[in-house]
Structure formats: C-alpha cells, structure tokens
Amino acid sequence: MSDHGSAAEVFDALAERYEEAFGQVPAQREALDWLTARLPRGARVLDVGSGTGRPTAEALAAAGCAVTGIDVSREMVALARARVPRARFEQADVRTYTPAEDGFEAVCSFFPLLMMDQPEVAAALGRMASWVAPGGYFVMATVPGDIRNLDIEWMGHRVTVSSLSTEDHLTTLAAAGLEVLDHHTRVFHPQGGLADPEEHLFCFARRP
C-alpha cells in the first residue's frame, strides 16, 4: 500500500500472513495458560482484536470458555469464524463497541491498540477495564513506548502507530479500578522474517 492504511484495511490485506508471523508468541501462550488456569468452565471471555482466532480464542474455547471475539477486520473475522467455530466473532471497533453482556469474567487484549492515537489507546484501556466483572481478569499485550503517530513500514504496509509507556499502561489500568498483579517484557522475533523483532509488554490485572 502506498498510503497509510487503517487497521481494518491493513489486516484485511494481511489476513493469514499475520498468523504466520505472530501466531506462535511463546509469552502469549504462557499468558493464556495463566488465565485459563484461573477461569471456571463456561466463563465469559471477550477477546479484543481476535484476529484469525488463533491462538487466543482457540485456547480459551478449548478450555471451555464462552468466547466472544471482536476485530475491525472483516477478513480476520471470517477466518476466525471458520477456524474457531465454538467461539462467536463480530466485526467491531473497541472504541465504539458496546457489549451485550453485563460483564466478562475475563477480557483479553493482545496487540489491538497500536494503530490508534495515544488518547484513544488510553480510552480503550479504560473501556476494556470497565467490561471486567468483579473478580474477573484483564490480560493484555502490546509494544510499549511513549510513541505518538509514528509512521513506519510494517509487514509491507505503511502504518501510523502510537503506544504508551509501560508506566502509563500500569497507571491507566489502576485508574480504571484494576489491580495489576504482574507485568513483564519479552522480545519476540516474528516467524519467517516477516517483521522486525519487537519488545512486548504483558500485563495481568484483576478487578477486586
């Protein structure tokens, strides 16, 4: 793409190539193991930025959770519906989405906020936190950094990205009423050289 694409346009174009590069993030698998060990069967879980459904929705559904996935990409939603039929997926933007449920036992957010402006990232974190039921969990991952509207080339596409520093992520989650239980960073090397190595921040939080 010669122009900067929206998240929906970029991920519609990438589709299966994204899963090829980012479908096997060891720290994400560990985060899912951590979460599923704490959830009862039938727990309602929202997967924000569900992509192709793998690995997050697939792992949660296999653990017996009732999974709803949302993603801005029509192509990603179509792939997820085919690959994880035990979960429910819909095309939606976290910035405007309103859950039908009163609250979720867990909300997952693995890398869906990077193609937003900084204020939108902070607002989305607050929205997602508000959907966590009392006693429920919020697990997220992102590329941290005090970055605003940085133009980069990523997987062959020109995109504009923003993020928050690790400290600002933690502060935002705490201000939204969540107790941050743990956080750490890992460096990930995408498969097949399809993208550059990335530092990933993982946060684990709970609503008291």
Side-chain angles (χ1 to χ4, degrees), residues 47-127:
D47 179 14
V48 178
S50 47
T52 66
R54 296 173 177 166
T56 303
E58 184 176 63
L60 291 166
C65 298
V67 184
T68 298
I70 63 170
D71 201 285
V72 295
S73 166
R74 180 184 65 253
E75 295 299 324
M76 290 292 198
V77 168
L79 285 171
R81 286 171 175 165
R83 292 181 176 178
V84 192
R86 287 186 290 175
R88 179 169 64 88
F89 299 94
E90 57 183 290
Q91 186 179 0
D93 190 319
V94 65
R95 293 170 289 189
T96 56
Y97 176 68
T98 301
E101 296 85 350
D102 292 333
F104 295 91
E105 278 74 45
V107 175
C108 295
S109 171
F110 291 107
F111 311 106
L113 308 182
L114 291 163
M115 294 185 195
M116 300 180 183
D117 197 1
Q118 273 190 337
E120 294 176 314
V121 174
L125 287 170
R127 285 174 61 80

Side-chain angles (χ1 to χ4, degrees), residues 162-183:
S162 301
S163 189
L164 305 177
S165 68
T166 295
E167 188 58 39
D168 283 345
H169 276 95
L170 303 181
T171 300
T172 301
L173 294 178
L178 299 185
E179 176 189 0
V180 178
L181 305 175
D182 190 22
H183 71 279

